[in-house]
Amino acid sequence: MEKLLDAVGKLCPIPLEEAKIEIETINSGDLLRIDFDCPEATENLPRWAAESGHEVTNFDTISEGVWTVSIKKK
């Protein structure tokens, strides 16, 4: 299963804080996809995922200044 968190238009640290909440609502092995446009989150979302033991399965640019990251819950 994949759950989408649309954090486009939200300033940091909101995307990270919302991701921490949303990851708790999905099952182990499921994906949380986060769409965002906060440049700081390009570093802090993957770092948080790694530090928490989750796996970043995709990190891509959607359009100029907008990214998506998929995190597989441990």
Side-chain angles (χ1 to χ4, degrees):
M1 184 186 101
E2 180 179 277
K3 183 169 190 174
L4 172 64
L5 171 59
D6 183 2
V8 174
K10 298 180 180 179
L11 299 176
C12 287
I14 300 301
L16 176 60
E17 296 304 316
E18 289 185 351
K20 289 178 179 180
I21 293 167
E22 291 299 319
I23 200 86
E24 297 301 320
T25 69
I26 63 174
N27 296 318
S28 180
D30 288 347
L31 291 175
L32 175 62
R33 190 179 100 212
I34 308 156
D35 294 347
F36 61 96
D37 59 355
C38 175
E40 290 174 38
T42 61
E43 294 181 15
N44 65 26
L45 284 170
R47 182 175 52 244
W48 159 74
E51 290 173 354
S52 300
H54 307 301
E55 177 186 356
V56 174
T57 61
N58 182 54
F59 190 104
D60 206 359
T61 302
I62 297 174
S63 61
E64 186 175 338
V66 182
W67 300 271
T68 188
V69 62
S70 294
I71 299 170
K72 184 176 181 180
K73 185 174 179 179
K74 65 176 176 180

